[in-house]
């Protein structure tokens, strides 16, 4: 096989791209295995040090926060629950609303779709005060429901599901109807299995979206037991340590590495579904 | 009241297209009815109203003694085979067949038995575990039929199910559909734009044009006795020859010849229709044809040429006759087998 210059260039670009993605993660990981003092004095590390177990143990189990009550593990769990809730509900609600928009031909379907689409222009950050007011009036501050609920409507996912459903031939619905399917069973027996690639992809995006929320949980939660990962990144380990104001850099790196695990797990878990759908089109 | 009754059924689409005009039709139990007509004439619309996939703008549809107008398609107990089959892409063949039964709450063993019976009948038993994407066109066609048969519906509806197949398979499946329908005995409506398909399949056929049933009858009745210019031109292959003429005092003067003692009192401009197969060569024949092209089909020859007035004309003769290009044939019409139509209305007058 002859290797063409173009291929070499292409591969160099790809390898550079990979390095660009991987090196920072590796540096974070390597740095998380040293002593904070070493990092502070010598800079970030490329090789693994001897403090790995100690740092990770400390991050996972040490109680932090002002009240010294919340652990990093708890924050991971909080974020995981929040992200899972957001992703699941977002996917379910968008798929169903797209179903209604595409298959139930009522007069207002198109205006309603555009109305939903316009909400893209008002993300949560823009409407954060009214949203907070509503959630707090409902008494949902400091609860998982309050963390999740205001974020579960997604114009983006609705749009993608709508576009996908529109490519499904009408005959499929007609044929299913003649086979005795009702509106609900057509959704469950046809649209859901046919769009499982889509669902997996949307779930991953929405999970990462939920997992990386910062402003909303910051405003929503006063109780530390509801703190989330990104909040923790800022708040935890900034306070002074036994009277000496030493930033605990190594622990922060360990925290960062650990915080990446839940989304990675979701991707790994869903990728089989995702890839299978990509290579084997069923339409 | 017969098994399926359409009474003054009209369909006007929301955009104002009038696809079906006050159509009335009765179909008996077990009958194989074919709707035939050119593309866009409203065949599919009529069929889809029977299925419940389109609302009925006006008129009534009764199936097995029950008014269907407001009945949901899922409750009508009809099965339809679509042009592109509309198989369920994510289900294997077994589940494609079983889905309708599951929705009716039939128990697992019965479903299995019914699916296996239908699969055997259609010779698809070997593919039950395959997805539709792994089947050939003919096999998909069979699965689509199986899905209809397995439910044992009141009526089968076919919307041009053979048009996606290649010519050979089309003829083979045509035969199989006919055999199958005779075996199962289910009332069927088959929609096609192909008149050969229509003639071979139908117990009775309805020739549709512009949303109106132009003629209803057995294939032979319609072939022998077309009631309008449209039907005459649509049914029969090669197409009937049409010549302009004038009818007066029971005498037809066409271009270059006359026919006397015509059985009609009509007077005025007419169109004379003669089927290519209703001609034979004879000395001093009425029609003189200058041969331009001969298609040898083996059993038959199709002779294309022009009359004296440059009008295109076709003559069909047995394949054992040799006909030279460029020669002049003298033809007579067999046994008064000609058709005369009022030129302005297209109605048959003889
Ligand atoms: N959904 C629709 N909306 C508006 N007009 C339609 C629709 N479906 C079909 N038509 C029109 O109705 C007429 C009959 O269509 P159809 O029944 O599909 O014809 P056929 O099946 O005989 O080819 C055509 O003129 C077609 O353009
Ligand atoms: Mg059609």
């Amino acid at each position: 096989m002859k290797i063409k210059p173009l291929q070499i260039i292409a591969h160099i670009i790809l390898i550079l791209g990979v390095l660009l993605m991987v090196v920072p993660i590796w540096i974070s990981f390597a740095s998380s295995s040293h002593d904070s003092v070493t990092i502070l004095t010598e800079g970030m590390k490329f090789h693994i040090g001897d403090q790995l177990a100690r740092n990770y143990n400390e991050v996972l189990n040490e109680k932090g926060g002002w009240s010294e009550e919340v652990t990093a593990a708890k924050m991971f769990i909080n974020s995981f629950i929040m992200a899972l809730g957001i992703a699941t509900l977002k996917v379910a609600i968008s798929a169903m609303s797209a179903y209604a928009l595409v298959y139930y031909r009522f007069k207002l379907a198109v205006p309603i779709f555009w109305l939903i689409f316009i909400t893209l222009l008002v993300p949560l950050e823009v409407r954060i005060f009214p949203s907070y007011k509503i959630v707090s009036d409902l008494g949902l501050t400091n609860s998982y429901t309050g963390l999740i609920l205001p974020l579960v409507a997604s114009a983006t996912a609705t749009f993608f599901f709508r576009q996908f459903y529109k490519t499904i031939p009408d005959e499929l619905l007609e044929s299913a109807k003649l086979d005795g399917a009702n509106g609900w069973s057509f959704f469950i027996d046809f649209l859901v299995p046919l769009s499982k690639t889509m669902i997996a992809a949307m779930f991953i995006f929405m999970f990462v979206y939920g997992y990386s929320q910062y402003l909303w949980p910051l405003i929503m939660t006063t109780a530390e037991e509801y703190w989330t990962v990104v909040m923790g990144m800022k708040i935890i380990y900034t306070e002074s340590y036994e009277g000496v104001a030493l930033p605990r850099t190594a622990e922060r790196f360990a925290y960062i590495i650990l915080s990446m695990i839940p989304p990675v797990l979701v991707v790994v878990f869903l990728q089989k579904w995702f890839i299978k759908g990509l290579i084997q089109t069923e339409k | 009241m017969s098994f399926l009754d359409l009474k003054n059924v009209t369909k006007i689409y929301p955009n104002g297209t009038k696809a079906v005009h006050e159509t009335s039709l009765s179909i008996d139990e077990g009958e194989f009815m074919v709707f035939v007509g050119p593309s866009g004439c409203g065949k599919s619309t009529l069929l889809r109203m029977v299925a419940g996939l389109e609302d009925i703008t006006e008129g009534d549809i009764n199936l097995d003694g029950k008014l269907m107008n407001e009945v949901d398609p899922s409750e009508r107990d009809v099965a339809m085979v679509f042009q592109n089959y509309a198989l369920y892409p994510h289900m294997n063949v077994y589940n494609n067949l079983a889905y309708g039964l599951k929705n009716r709450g039939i128990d697992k063993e019965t479903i299995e038995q019914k699916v296996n019976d239908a699969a055997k009948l259609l010779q698809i038993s070997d593919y039950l575990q395959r997805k539709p994407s792994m089947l050939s066109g003919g096999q998909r066609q069979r699965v689509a039929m199986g899905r209809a048969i397995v439910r044992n519906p009141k009526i089968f509806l076919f919307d041009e199910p053979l048009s996606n197949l290649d010519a050979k398979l089309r003829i083979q499946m045509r035969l199989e559909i006919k055999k199958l329908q005779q075996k199962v005995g289910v009332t069927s409506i088959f929609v096609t734009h192909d008149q050969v398909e229509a003639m071979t399949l139908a117990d009775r056929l309805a020739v549709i044009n512009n949303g109106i049933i132009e003629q209803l009858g057995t294939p032979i009745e319609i072939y022998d006795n077309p009631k309008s210019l449209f039907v005459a031109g649509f049914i029969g292959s090669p197409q009937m020859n049409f010549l302009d003429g004038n009818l007066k005092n029971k005498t037809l003067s066409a271009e270059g010849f006359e026919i006397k003692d015509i059985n009609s009192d009509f007077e005025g401009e007419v169109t004379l229709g003669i089927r290519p197969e209703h001609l034979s060569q004879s000395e001093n024949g009425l029609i003189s044809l200058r041969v331009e092209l001969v298609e040898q089909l083996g059993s038959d020859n199709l002779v294309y040429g022009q009359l004296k007035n440059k009008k295109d004309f076709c003559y069909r003769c047995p394949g054992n006759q040799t006909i030279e290009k460029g020669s002049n044939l003298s033809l007579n019409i067999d046994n008064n087998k000609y058709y005369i139509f009022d030129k302005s209305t297209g109605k048959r007058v003889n």
Side-chain angles (χ1 to χ4, degrees), chain B residues 104-119:
Chain B
R104 280 175 172 68
I106 296 169
D107 65 276
K108 257 200 164 129
E109 285 93 70
T110 318
I111 291 181
E112 197 170 333
Q113 197 190 339
K114 285 187 176 212
V115 170
N116 286 334
D117 288 351

Side-chain angles (χ1 to χ4, degrees), chain A residues 169 171-182 185-186 189-191 193-194 196 280-283, chain B residues 48 51 53 73-74 78-80 82 84-91 96 99-100 103-104 131 147 151:
Chain A
E171 284 89 352
L172 206 59
L173 171 68
E174 293 174 347
S175 192
K177 268 191 198 162
L178 293 176
D179 256 347
N182 56 30
S185 50
F186 181 69
D189 296 338
F190 289 83
L191 294 183
L194 284 172
K196 61 185 180 197
Q280 168 194 327
T281 54
E282 300 206 287
K283 259 193 304 139
Chain B
R48 290 164 57 82
L53 298 172
S74 56
V78 303
M80 185 151 165
F82 292 83
N84 57 12
Y85 317 138
L87 300 180
Y88 309 141
H90 57 298
M91 297 184 193
N96 261 280
Y99 185 71
N103 278 335
R104 280 175 172 68
K131 294 266 178 78
R147 201 170 59 181
R151 274 178 31 209

Side-chain angles (χ1 to χ4, degrees), chain A residues 190-261:
Chain A
F190 289 83
L191 294 183
V192 170
L194 284 172
S195 60
K196 61 185 180 197
T197 309
M198 189 79 175
I199 289 174
M202 283 300 144
F203 189 87
I204 289 172
F205 294 148
M206 298 310 166
F207 186 89
V208 172
Y209 168 84
Y211 195 75
S212 55
Q213 281 302 311
Y214 174 61
L215 194 56
W216 181 247
L218 189 68
I219 290 182
M220 264 294 303
T221 57
T222 46
E224 286 169 3
E225 57 184 302
Y226 288 107
W227 278 9
T228 61
V229 167
V230 188
M231 289 168 71
M233 223 175 260
K234 174 152 175 18
I235 295 165
I236 210 170
Y237 312 126
T238 52
E239 74 274 35
S240 58
Y241 179 54
E242 289 172 4
V244 189
L246 263 189
R248 299 167 67 194
T249 319
E251 280 93 336
R252 281 192 191 167
F253 279 121
Y255 183 89
I256 287 168
I257 294 294
L258 285 172
S259 72
M260 286 192 306
I261 292 174

